[in-house]
Amino acid sequence: VSEKSAKSPLHHFRVVVDEVEHLRMQKQGTQGLLDEDENGGCTVAVRTQAKLLLLVEVTAPFDDAPAMRVMFETDDGTRHEYPLRLPVVATCFMEPVTLEPGAFMQRWKSLEGHDRECQEVIKAPANAPPIDEDYMSRIAKIITDGLKFGRCQGCDPTPWTVSGAATFRTGAKDLNGSNINVGCLVRVEANPQAGAFRVTTRTLHPLCSKAVKNVALVSIKLA
């Protein structure tokens, strides 16, 4: 958190990160930053910083970024509080998987079912260029670099579909002591004439399907 543009220091500067069941977090920050007492906190002088470091481990699927609050007091005694979201989403914990077309389609069909699939159609941004093969290359990069999915090429005879696979890795253990993981599949199908995309996700866990779809939608809107 930087205070370079202010002309006076910030007092009682604190950060509160909400604890959630599906994440284990280790927090470390500037002395006083994580104080619970509203009269505690640290002072952020002009042209200095306060830093918060988080080590996060996921223990179960989730579809909502954890909340945090930044609070401080200015020289005139005015207190400020800003609710924010941590940039921690389900795709942060993905490991890319590359599948051959036959294997991908077999798994895709095996995950049919209302509780395993999430699907939504969105229009391309109003200021976006026409959907062409270059645009689809950007979509493919979103799937691989943004969502951390392995691209599964050759699944369709058309350039207007991007398919990917990944494993959602958790730190939770099953009865045998092995880590619990969830296989995830995604397909983005473009309709160039309509200027739209259909995003479909399939996983064994409904929250995983919803989470991947939501991140994909936001990413495509920003493409």
Side-chain angles (χ1 to χ4, degrees):
V1 180
S2 179
E3 204 259 331
K4 292 181 179 178
S5 60
K7 296 180 180 179
S8 59
L10 304 179
H11 307 285
H12 304 298
F13 195 97
R14 298 186 300 126
V15 172
V16 176
V17 179
D18 288 358
E19 297 288 343
V20 289
E21 292 183 359
H22 52 266
L23 297 175
R24 284 196 286 257
M25 289 188 277
Q26 296 180 30
K27 294 171 278 191
Q28 182 179 351
T30 301
Q31 185 174 0
L33 182 66
L34 296 169
D35 286 350
E36 295 183 4
D37 185 354
E38 65 178 19
N39 293 318
C42 61
T43 296
V44 183
V46 175
R47 298 186 182 279
T48 66
Q49 296 179 336
K51 294 183 179 181
L52 172 65
L53 301 177
L54 292 175
L55 179 62
V56 183
E57 181 181 47
V58 65
T59 58
F62 67 101
D63 66 344
D64 198 14
M68 65 178 290
R69 288 172 292 143
V70 176
M71 295 159 285
F72 59 88
E73 186 176 308
T74 49
D75 270 350
D76 61 3
T78 303
R79 294 192 174 187
H80 302 262
E81 181 172 329
Y82 296 94
L84 303 170
R85 292 282 178 179
L86 285 172
V88 178
V89 293
T91 52
C92 293
F93 306 96
M94 294 294 176
E95 182 176 295
V97 175
T98 303
L99 298 174
E100 295 296 323
F104 179 91
M105 296 311 298
Q106 182 179 6
R107 294 192 188 186
W108 185 259
K109 291 177 181 177
S110 73
L111 290 172
E112 288 180 343
H114 177 69
D115 59 336
R116 298 178 175 182
E117 177 180 290
C118 274
Q119 186 177 90
E120 190 168 334
V121 175
I122 60 166
K123 297 285 287 185
N127 59 346
I131 298 175
D132 55 16
E133 293 193 27
D134 286 342
Y135 202 124
M136 293 307 296
S137 294
R138 289 163 58 189
I139 298 298
K141 194 171 181 63
I142 287 172
I143 297 300
T144 56
D145 295 359
L147 274 63
K148 298 183 181 178
F149 273 61
R151 187 177 181 187
C152 303
Q153 295 181 293
C155 297
D156 300 275
T158 167
W160 310 120
T161 301
V162 176
S163 301
T167 301
F168 179 72
R169 299 278 186 194
T170 81
K173 305 290 184 181
D174 61 18
L175 295 177
N176 297 319
S178 301
N179 285 62
I180 298 174
N181 304 310
V182 181
C184 305
L185 302 178
V186 62
R187 301 188 82 188
V188 180
E189 302 165 276
N191 183 332
Q193 290 74 31
F197 297 93
R198 180 169 64 184
V199 178
T200 309
T201 56
R202 290 184 182 179
T203 79
L204 283 171
H205 199 291
L207 274 181
C208 265
S209 299
K210 181 181 177 182
V212 173
K213 181 209 65 170
N214 289 346
V215 177
L217 290 175
V218 172
S219 301
I220 290 172
K221 289 176 182 177
L222 297 174

